[in-house]
Amino acid sequence: MAFLWPEMLWLLGLVPASVVAYLWLLRRRRRLALRYSGLSLVREALGRGAGWRRHLPPALMLLALAGLLVAVARPTARVILPSQQRMVILAMDVSGSMRATDVEPNRMAAAQAAAREFVALQDSSTRIGVVTFAGTALLTQPPTYNKEDVLAAIDRFNFQRATAVGSGILVSLQAIFPDIEFDLRGSNPRPGGEDNRLGRSLDQRNSARKPPPPVEPGSYGSAAIILLTDGQTTTGPNPLEAARMAAERGVKVYTVGVGTEHGEILVGDGWSMRVRLDEDALRSIAQITGGEYFYAGSAPDLKKIYQGLHSKLALETREIEVTALFAAAAAALMLLAAGLSVFWFHRVV
């Protein structure tokens, strides 16, 4: 537990002072009682309740006072609460390497099945968007509350050439922040990062508005990106630089690796290529953004991963002010003390 106004804790010194004052009043009360000659008058002065019952209401009042003084210092605590993440972007690889059958029936089919499972787990207050990427990236389904539209977008996947993981991250980030533009042609995705007309054009447009200052990676609590791919980038922006741009805006990227370490050899018209899972790249992307990397070697594993991602997105540890709890507890103790005193001694403490 921490305190926003810790200097106010010095007020707790009033509690032992109150105890001393209470003991002094008891001794004074006994001295006054000895002036009476009748024992009945002494008992009345001491009160009808004997022993611990005489001291319980004042003790409760002292606890209430302590609770109020702690509340003045504005205590905070780290608690697990429902997250404010209300938007999830599914960035899914539709490159030719996803035809590999090292995950049955193939990588693409397993990924689609797991994506459907994830969509089914979300509640109605979560917007879900779908981004597909191969040689370039496209927002195939803008964030929506309609799960049927999301499922229809997942069912429309078609294989395309090349793999641009960086483009998938950037287009997903653009779905979260529509007013931000990126350069998807060069290896450096930052506007003006490459010596080309598109970069200079974006740089000129963005120079008119001051970019937001970088924030702590993973601190943006309203959205997250789930990147599902085999991780082998063959074209497009540098995925690590794209991850840094997401980190600067506080957006977490959870990466899910589909495939196996040894991969599989795909054969086409006069060509063959081994496609294997690039786990190092996916781990780096997750680490940069404050997300987490998951490995999926089969369709059942993918379903478990998405279920786990749902729980991570639904709950988060946050530091909140708990002043009201201490004030409420103090009020309850005061009411209890007053009630016991009235019940036992027919007076309020």
Side-chain angles (χ1 to χ4, degrees):
M1 182 179 295
F3 298 90
L4 297 179
W5 295 347
E7 62 275 6
M8 303 301 292
L9 291 176
W10 288 104
L11 293 174
L12 288 174
L14 294 174
V15 175
S18 300
V19 174
V20 172
Y22 175 70
L23 295 176
W24 178 80
L25 287 175
L26 286 180
R27 295 187 62 180
R28 182 172 179 273
R29 190 176 183 184
R30 290 193 186 98
R31 290 173 184 173
L32 291 175
L34 291 177
R35 297 179 182 178
Y36 297 92
S37 58
L39 291 177
S40 60
L41 294 177
V42 174
R43 293 193 188 98
E44 183 179 354
L46 293 176
R48 296 184 180 181
W52 60 271
R53 288 200 302 176
R54 288 193 298 124
H55 305 295
L56 182 58
L60 293 176
M61 290 296 292
L62 284 175
L63 288 176
L65 175 62
L68 288 175
L69 294 177
V70 171
V72 170
R74 298 183 64 186
T76 62
R78 296 183 67 85
V79 297
I80 298 178
L81 294 174
S83 170
Q84 296 301 315
Q85 293 173 333
R86 289 292 182 249
M87 183 189 300
V88 178
I89 305 298
L90 292 174
M92 305 192 66
D93 191 345
V94 294
S95 62
S97 60
M98 296 293 284
R99 292 189 292 121
T101 58
D102 52 353
V103 178
E104 295 182 354
N106 60 49
R107 296 179 182 180
M108 174 67 76
Q112 287 175 304
R116 297 187 192 97
E117 181 77 12
F118 176 79
V119 172
L121 289 172
Q122 304 307 304
D123 55 40
S124 58
S125 63
T126 301
R127 288 191 296 162
I128 305 174
V130 180
V131 169
T132 57
F133 63 92
T136 185
L138 178 66
L139 180 62
T140 57
Q141 175 57 61
T144 178
Y145 295 107
N146 192 323
K147 292 184 179 180
E148 293 183 358
D149 292 343
V150 177
L151 295 175
I154 294 173
D155 292 335
R156 290 194 299 265
F157 289 172
N158 292 311
F159 293 110
Q160 302 174 29
R161 293 183 179 180
T163 305
V165 176
S167 295
I169 297 174
L170 293 173
V171 173
S172 300
L173 193 58
Q174 195 172 44
I176 300 172
F177 303 102
D179 59 332
I180 299 177
E181 299 181 80
F182 309 102
D183 183 1
L184 299 179
R185 295 188 180 182
S187 61
N188 187 346
R190 297 181 185 276
E194 297 292 329
D195 187 16
N196 55 47
R197 287 183 296 177
L198 176 62
R200 290 194 298 270
S201 176
L202 290 178
D203 191 35
Q204 292 170 359
R205 287 201 296 267
N206 287 337
S207 62
R209 54 177 181 266
K210 185 178 180 180
V215 298
E216 186 72 19
S219 61
Y220 187 75
S222 298
I225 298 171
I226 300 177
L227 180 73
L228 196 149
T229 177
D230 56 21
Q232 286 189 312
T233 296
T234 61
T235 187
N238 186 332
L240 297 184
E241 188 62 31
R244 293 186 186 97
M245 295 181 70
E248 290 171 359
R249 290 160 177 80
V251 177
K252 291 182 179 180
V253 179
Y254 296 90
T255 56
V256 181
V258 186
T260 58
E261 180 180 359
H262 299 289
E264 180 179 313
I265 297 177
L266 294 180
V267 179
D269 295 334
W271 59 268
S272 64
M273 177 179 63
R274 177 174 291 277
V275 290
R276 55 169 58 94
L277 176 62
D278 188 355
E279 289 189 289
D280 292 337
L282 297 180
R283 285 195 182 95
S284 298
I285 292 171
Q287 182 179 9
I288 289 172
T289 63
E292 191 172 349
Y293 167 72
F294 301 91
Y295 168 74
S298 64
D301 289 341
L302 279 176
K303 291 183 179 180
K304 293 178 183 178
I305 286 171
Y306 273 104
Q307 291 171 354
L309 283 174
H310 174 264
S311 63
K312 289 180 181 294
L313 293 176
L315 298 175
E316 66 178 0
T317 301
R318 297 166 53 193
E319 187 169 350
I320 64 170
E321 187 174 346
V322 292
T323 300
L325 295 180
F326 279 87
L333 288 173
M334 285 185 177
L335 289 175
L336 179 61
L340 291 176
S341 184
V342 170
F343 179 74
W344 285 335
F345 312 114
H346 304 291
R347 64 175 184 269
V348 179
V349 185

